[in-house]
Amino acid sequence: MTQHRKPDLLERLAGPAEQVETSPKVADETKFTTCYMCACRCGIKVHLKDGRVRYIEGNRNHPVNKGVLCAKGSAGIMTQYSPARLQKPLLRVGERGAGEFKEIEWEEALSLATDWLGGIRQTDPKKLAFFTGRDQSQSFTGWWAAQFGTPNFAAHGGFCSVNMAAAGLYSIGGSFWEFGEPDWDHAEYFLMFGVAEDHDSNPIKTGLTKLKERGAKYVAVNPVRTGYAAIADEWVGIRPGTDGLFVFALIHELLRTNRIDLDFLVRYTNAPWLVVRNPGGADDGLFARDADGKPLAWDAKAKAPVAATSADFAPALVGEVTLPDGRKAVPVFELLAGRYLDTQYAPDAVAETCGVAADDIRRIAAEIAHVAFEKQVVIDQPWTDWAGRRHEKMIGRPVAMHAMRGISAHSNGFHTCRAIHLLQMLLGAIDTPGAWRYKAPFPRPMPPGPKPAGKEVKPNTPLPGMPLGFTHGPEDLLVEADGTPKRIDKAYSWEAPMSAHGLMHMAIHNAWAGDPYPIDTLFMFMANMSWNSTMNTGGTIEKLTDKHADGSYKIPRIIYSDAYFSEMVPYADLILPDTTYLERWDCISLLDRPIGSAHGPADAIRQPVIQPDRDVRPFQDVLIELGARLGLPGLVKEDGSPRYPGGYPDYIVNHERKPGVGPLAGWRGEDGSLPGKGASNPKQLERYVENGCFWKHELEPDQLYFKHANKGYLEAAVKLGLIDAPEQIVLQLYSEPMQKFRLAALGHGAVQPPERDRARVKEYFDPLPIWYVPFEEEAVDPDDYPLHALTQRPMPMYHSWGSQNAWLRQIYTRNRLYISRELAADEGLEDEDWVWVTSHHGKLKCQIQTMEGVNRDTVWTWNAIGKRAGAWNLAPDAPEATKGFLLNHAISELLPDRGGYRYSNSDPVTGQAAWYDLRVRIDKIKSTEAQRSEPVFPTLTPPDLPPRPAVLRYGAANSRKR
């Protein structure tokens, strides 16, 4: 029997022992969903208590993050409970920009929107310009625009990543960024070009950890050494916009030393394809083809042309040949080698321009070659190629590469990205062990499809396809007979023939200018175009408020949807308030931007983990209801009733883009037994929720590499609905579609460019990658504007959303202009000095901070930290408004005048916004008076929003309840 000791006197006086709760109850419920605090799309587990979010952690079973969660994801609580959340639909009652609104009910808001849009659709659908921001549902919003009948649709990619996407999809059938990844498990040498810290951050961080653990070398090519570049084994502090020239020097060295993978080039690329040499002729530079249209190569043994897609012959890679019809032709490889072996690409010739020592360029090229050819990765896994040939092992070159906006956001970015893909192909480092790998649903056939729709726009008529697509030649352009653009942003015109994502950054300017025609309504979603998402902040604000002589606005109507009181809200006429990402259904689809990996396709959903406490609705639900009210064919049944009465979740489950292929690929078929392709499953969303809100399909071991030529993979991809035919996807060193545009500029073909654009197309549509000086740098005097100026986003923040977040603001409440200590010494500058930053377009005032890890001729800052006073329901004197700033004030959406016309400040091939071409000078401000950042705009007055707390005590109520 246990004996209990009686407490002594001191214990009796002290009272009961303190009970420490070591595992307090954090939540009474947990739900899984997908994060939306950046583009990473990690799986999250949301802990709820009394119906409120208490804690967010990573989903350990999720294929993207495997439980890892960054500061952004964890701080989703504060985005959910932001005092900037809009409360009800709003109708403008004062002047645009004054922030004077009245609250209205949803029925009035939807009726008004239906009336405005219905009149447009009945007369001229292109008078609606529908542009969406970082919504991650472009396949749905683009489809809605097509049903409406307007070609004037685009999304975020045009000022973010279209150079990445287009260059990759025309070259290798995939691309960097979200559609490809390094082989983190086998790479021995990793080159990263211009990747900011906020994109794909959790997978990149875990991947870099793997490289470090294995002792692989990591080289960061970036003008700024922050974030990922800070842990690189070698930092190449290149001059902005010269990455392509640096890559060509690497290619020059590899060709000069004969360190290229000829076997890979012969088997998997168009290196042996014959190019017609007929200067001045309509076929010059096109591929020689047989009667069936198949490209030809030259059989060195038979000394005769053969189908280049044949499996077994001895292809010639050099030498001019005579075709049976008498024309001359040479292999692609000869053109390639002849160009890049030229001494203009030698390390000594490019070193000064790039700001990289010639010896370093030679050494890096030698290191790449050594790893690629002396440390090849061998995996004991048999596989069968497209021609039925069995390979006993998977052998690869362990040199991996990755790139993003630092390459993309230049006016030469398309060709630079193609240059990197060219380097990969020469090394045999595309989807091989240790190299860069395709992420599902890629690779795709080339040239890519579908083509953009919008050649004919008719009242009450859907477009015959999607408004965004891929041109194969001049015949696919959306231009009038005289060559003028059919789209308001001039995408798919002679100014941006291969735009792919559209030119969102030009929509407001062109609508204001009525160029190429006036519009009636600008409809935007989650696009902060009056602040950090526009290249010309002050000018855009003026255009949104500018009026005709009769007092009417030059942009007659603006409808806007956002979840928060962003800087854009005061400039709209009708506000349709959106939910947060924790309050709605979403679809991260294989039709759009999925979460697939090199190991197999995957997609995900968001589910509502809490209910809105405001009178707001998910934007996707609003679009579906508007579509039904407008009678859009895809959104109503034959009797006129709504096709998707259950809103967006109804659409997700039941919509089919083509037979058996819908927004979600998991658990298809009536019983949910089919992956990828099958009939609709009424319980599909339930299955996703049960599985943690994601689906993943694991490829078989023999399908994991060489996907562009792997018979097993290609057949599996057809069954999954990823591609239409199990045919080899031939990698394109030389781009025939680009040569077709060039031939038009030389006077050939039925579709001709206007005279103003002819020389431009001829120069920049080279079928082999080229390098040229970025446009703004070429246009301004280097003595007046000697410095490059860049922005990037910090790892803890993303676009505008992060910098209104109370927790993330504790990391960054303001930004500075970072400059090298060497430059500061030359200019007599010290930390915290105030300076004017001046470009050919405008000027701004800010403070500087010196640092070591930045290119000597480059200044940079964090983007979107600076806020307009009063926006996001921040205090008007918040540091973001008084000390923070936007470099955008110095950027123009137009280039300086040349010959009486100002082209957009964009890549001439794709129309990608050239944010990073900015040239500036800095001048010290000697005044000792109190300083604040400039320019200063009038303080915005929020509509009826919750009061912002003077001191944030999130969770205090829950603590008291315990």
Side-chain angles (χ1 to χ4, degrees):
M1 185 173 182
T2 304
Q3 297 295 320
H4 293 283
R5 181 181 67 83
K6 292 183 178 180
D8 60 24
L9 178 60
L10 289 176
E11 289 174 320
R12 290 197 303 272
L13 291 174
E18 180 182 2
Q19 299 295 317
V20 178
E21 189 176 3
T22 57
S23 299
K25 185 178 180 181
V26 175
D28 50 35
E29 184 180 12
T30 59
K31 291 183 179 181
F32 291 96
T33 188
T34 302
C35 189
Y36 200 5
M37 294 296 286
C38 79
C40 207
R41 295 151 299 170
C42 296
I44 54 175
K45 184 178 181 181
V46 182
H47 296 257
L48 305 165
K49 189 172 185 181
D50 301 324
R52 289 175 62 84
V53 180
R54 292 289 289 123
Y55 176 61
I56 299 176
E57 66 174 317
N59 179 355
R60 298 184 182 186
N61 298 316
H62 198 272
V64 170
N65 58 316
K66 300 177 177 63
V68 175
L69 201 61
C70 69
K72 297 187 294 291
S74 299
I77 303 171
M78 302 314 297
T79 295
Q80 174 61 39
Y81 295 117
S82 165
R85 292 177 303 166
L86 297 173
Q87 304 292 301
K88 283 184 72 69
L90 300 170
L91 182 64
R92 179 178 60 81
V93 294
E95 293 292 307
R96 277 193 198 153
E100 297 175 6
F101 292 95
K102 70 173 182 178
E103 293 185 344
I104 59 175
E105 301 303 320
W106 272 102
E107 177 56 37
E108 181 180 354
L110 292 171
S111 295
L112 189 58
T114 302
D115 180 57
W116 291 358
L117 299 177
I120 296 170
R121 188 166 186 267
Q122 292 169 15
T123 54
D124 187 357
K126 71 175 181 292
K127 293 296 183 72
L128 169 65
F130 180 37
F131 290 83
T132 69
R134 206 62 165 86
D135 62 301
Q136 300 181 4
S137 57
Q138 183 175 313
S139 68
F140 168 64
T141 51
W143 176 80
W144 191 95
Q147 297 303 304
F148 186 91
T150 181
N152 289 321
F153 167 83
H156 175 86
F159 57 65
C160 177
S161 61
V162 68
N163 275 334
M164 289 286 109
L169 291 172
Y170 279 94
S171 298
I172 59 172
S175 72
F176 290 126
W177 188 40
E178 296 173 12
F179 306 130
E181 61 185 342
D183 188 349
W184 300 113
D185 294 317
H186 298 103
E188 294 293 337
Y189 201 96
F190 178 50
L191 278 163
M192 181 183 279
F193 297 86
V195 179
E197 303 171 15
D198 64 319
H199 265 288
D200 207 23
S201 57
N202 289 331
I204 288 179
K205 284 182 288 190
T206 54
L208 290 174
T209 299
K210 289 182 177 181
L211 294 183
K212 290 287 187 179
E213 289 174 344
R214 292 191 297 100
K217 182 166 183 179
Y218 163 31
V219 179
V221 183
N222 198 319
V224 181
R225 189 171 197 177
T226 59
Y228 306 135
I231 64 166
D233 299 294
E234 181 174 354
W235 171 56
V236 179
I238 199 165
R239 283 187 62 236
T242 66
D243 305 75
L245 203 54
F246 170 74
V247 171
F248 288 151
L250 297 178
I251 290 172
H252 175 92
E253 284 297 291
L254 293 172
L255 289 169
R256 184 184 65 81
T257 57
N258 197 27
R259 301 290 271 171
I260 59 174
D261 191 336
L262 287 174
D263 184 62
F264 184 94
L265 294 174
V266 166
R267 284 179 177 268
Y268 306 124
T269 79
N270 66 357
W273 291 15
L274 292 174
V275 178
V276 175
R277 301 300 298 269
N278 181 22
D283 57 354
D284 184 46
L286 300 180
F287 293 131
R289 298 179 183 273
D290 63 18
D292 296 323
K294 294 181 180 179
L296 295 173
W298 190 261
D299 188 330
K301 289 184 178 179
K303 299 190 184 305
V306 296
T309 52
S310 301
D312 294 303
F313 66 100
L317 290 180
V318 296
E320 185 176 79
V321 300
T322 302
L323 300 171
D325 59 11
R327 293 181 299 167
K328 303 293 184 181
V330 297
V332 164
F333 184 78
E334 171 151 322
L335 296 176
L336 180 154
R339 171 169 295 181
Y340 304 117
L341 278 171
D342 191 288
T343 55
Q344 67 174 309
Y345 297 117
D348 291 297
V350 309
E352 183 177 355
T353 302
C354 295
V356 183
D359 286 344
D360 287 334
I361 298 173
R362 279 187 284 267
R363 174 182 50 78
I364 292 170
E367 290 175 354
I368 291 171
H370 174 74
V371 171
F373 298 105
E374 307 302 330
K375 294 187 176 183
Q376 63 182 16
V377 176
V378 179
I379 298 176
D380 289 323
Q381 174 61 58
W383 66 286
T384 302
D385 69 22
W386 64 277
R389 295 171 294 201
R390 178 181 169 88
H391 303 259
E392 295 303 322
K393 301 178 186 297
M394 291 180 162
I395 302 174
R397 313 291 183 194
V399 177
M401 300 176 198
H402 194 58
M404 192 36 203
R405 191 177 297 107
I407 301 299
S408 186
H410 288 288
S411 53
N412 59 16
F414 174 83
H415 278 287
T416 295
C417 187
R418 286 193 68 220
I420 298 173
H421 291 315
L422 178 64
L423 174 61
Q424 292 175 293
M425 287 185 269
L426 290 173
L427 291 168
I430 297 285
D431 211 58
T432 62
W436 175 90
R437 305 174 70 186
Y438 296 105
K439 291 169 66 172
F442 299 97
R444 294 272 177 82
M446 290 170 282
K451 297 178 180 181
K455 284 181 177 292
E456 292 189 28
V457 176
K458 300 177 181 178
N460 296 316
T461 304
L463 299 180
M466 295 289 275
L468 298 181
F470 300 90
T471 55
H472 295 186
E475 66 279 5
D476 300 325
L477 292 177
L478 302 183
V479 293
E480 304 289 356
D482 62 357
T484 56
K486 286 180 176 285
R487 285 177 49 119
I488 192 67
D489 60 354
K490 303 186 181 180
Y492 309 110
S493 75
W494 290 105
E495 293 191 30
M498 296 166 70
S499 47
H501 287 177
L503 282 73
M504 186 170 176
H505 54 292
M506 293 305 301
I508 290 173
H509 173 276
N510 293 355
W512 163 81
D515 178 21
Y517 47 79
I519 66 166
D520 181 275
T521 298
L522 176 64
F523 189 3
M524 303 193 102
F525 170 48
M526 215 175 76
N528 200 19
M529 298 303 293
S530 70
W531 199 245
N532 62 283
S533 290
T534 186
M535 300 178 81
N536 175 5
T537 305
T540 298
I541 290 172
E542 292 175 359
K543 293 173 178 62
L544 291 169
T545 57
D546 197 17
K547 294 181 178 181
H548 294 288
D550 63 3
S552 62
Y553 286 109
K554 290 188 176 179
I555 302 177
R557 297 187 180 102
I558 300 175
I559 304 174
Y560 185 53
S561 179
D562 203 325
Y564 307 99
F565 179 62
S566 68
E567 284 89 350
M568 183 63 193
V569 168
Y571 295 95
D573 305 312
L574 177 63
I575 304 296
L576 306 175
D578 189 23
T579 60
T580 72
Y581 71 100
L582 296 177
E583 298 170 335
R584 65 167 176 257
W585 293 96
D586 261 341
C587 177
I588 297 92
S589 171
L590 284 167
L591 300 177
D592 196 358
R593 308 170 70 144
I595 59 167
S597 73
H599 300 281
D603 57 21
I605 65 167
R606 294 188 183 94
Q607 64 161 326
V609 298
I610 55 174
Q611 294 302 310
D613 57 0
R614 312 162 317 285
D615 191 11
V616 298
R617 297 185 184 182
F619 180 68
Q620 291 90 340
D621 283 358
V622 170
L623 268 190
I624 285 174
E625 182 165 350
L626 282 176
R629 290 180 178 226
L630 290 165
L632 304 187
L635 288 146
V636 294
K637 299 176 182 177
E638 292 183 2
D639 63 0
S641 62
R643 184 174 295 277
Y644 304 110
Y648 194 47
D650 190 350
Y651 166 91
I652 292 172
V653 170
N654 294 302
H655 176 73
E656 287 189 339
R657 195 54 54 90
K658 57 184 179 180
V661 176
L664 291 174
W667 297 287
R668 297 197 67 82
E670 293 184 3
D671 61 354
S673 63
L674 300 176
K677 190 176 181 180
S680 298
N681 170 16
K683 296 186 177 181
Q684 188 181 38
L685 290 178
E686 295 175 31
R687 296 298 301 274
Y688 272 82
V689 171
E690 292 168 0
N691 197 56
C693 290
F694 71 90
W695 165 83
K696 182 179 181 183
H697 175 81
E698 292 282 351
L699 296 174
E700 296 297 327
D702 67 338
Q703 301 170 4
L704 289 174
Y705 294 96
F706 299 94
K707 296 185 189 75
H708 48 279
N710 186 316
K711 182 179 177 67
Y713 171 78
L714 293 169
E715 291 177 347
V718 171
K719 291 180 181 178
L720 290 167
L722 305 181
I723 56 177
D724 294 330
E727 298 173 357
Q728 181 192 16
I729 297 169
V730 181
L731 310 182
Q732 303 288 298
L733 298 161
Y734 181 100
S735 176
E736 188 178 55
M738 298 196 72
Q739 180 63 12
K740 290 180 179 179
F741 285 108
R742 172 178 269 187
L743 287 171
L746 291 169
H748 300 291
V751 183
Q752 292 284 298
E755 286 305 313
R756 183 186 67 214
D757 301 322
R758 196 174 292 276
R760 174 179 159 108
V761 174
K762 177 185 174 183
E763 182 172 358
Y764 300 117
F765 277 75
D766 197 304
L768 287 172
I770 59 175
W771 183 84
Y772 48 91
V773 177
F775 289 163
E776 182 169 326
E777 181 176 350
E778 183 184 40
V780 302
D781 188 328
D783 293 329
D784 290 339
Y785 307 105
L787 301 173
H788 302 270
L790 307 174
T791 62
Q792 60 176 327
R793 290 194 297 272
M795 198 172 290
M797 294 185 179
Y798 185 70
H799 287 269
S800 298
W801 317 335
S803 51
Q804 60 128 345
N805 184 294
W807 286 356
L808 301 179
R809 288 183 66 212
Q810 296 179 56
I811 304 173
Y812 293 104
T813 57
R814 55 170 299 185
N815 55 318
R816 292 172 175 82
L817 187 73
Y818 294 96
I819 71 174
S820 75
R821 292 199 172 102
E822 180 184 354
L823 174 62
D826 292 345
E827 298 293 328
L829 295 169
E830 298 178 354
D831 288 341
E832 304 301 312
D833 277 348
W834 286 87
V835 298
W836 284 109
V837 180
T838 307
S839 72
H840 79 90
H841 167 72
K843 62 190 300 186
L844 59 96
K845 184 196 294 182
C846 63
Q847 279 181 292
I848 68 158
Q849 184 78 39
T850 61
M851 64 178 289
E852 289 294 335
V854 59
N855 175 274
R856 161 64 175 75
D857 299 319
T858 302
V859 299
W860 70 279
T861 192
W862 300 120
N863 186 37
I865 304 297
K867 297 294 187 200
R868 184 166 170 183
W872 303 93
N873 209 6
L874 298 176
D877 61 351
E880 289 87 348
T882 59
K883 303 291 187 180
F885 68 96
L886 285 179
L887 201 57
N888 306 51
H889 297 308
I891 304 174
S892 173
E893 78 271 48
L894 298 176
L895 290 167
D897 184 278
R898 299 190 74 175
Y901 185 76
R902 298 185 69 185
Y903 281 101
S904 70
N905 186 8
S906 310
D907 184 292
V909 179
T910 66
Q912 158 83 52
W915 301 93
Y916 290 176
D917 285 359
L918 180 63
R919 299 281 292 191
V920 301
R921 68 171 180 269
I922 56 176
D923 299 292
K924 183 176 180 178
I925 298 174
K926 298 179 181 179
S927 172
T928 58
E929 65 188 43
Q931 300 283 354
R932 62 159 295 160
S933 57
E934 294 185 25
V936 178
F937 296 88
T939 299
L940 297 174
T941 303
D944 188 15
L945 297 179
R948 58 177 176 270
V951 178
L952 182 70
R953 293 188 176 91
Y954 175 77
N958 300 82
S959 299
R960 286 195 295 272
K961 288 180 181 178
R962 290 204 301 269

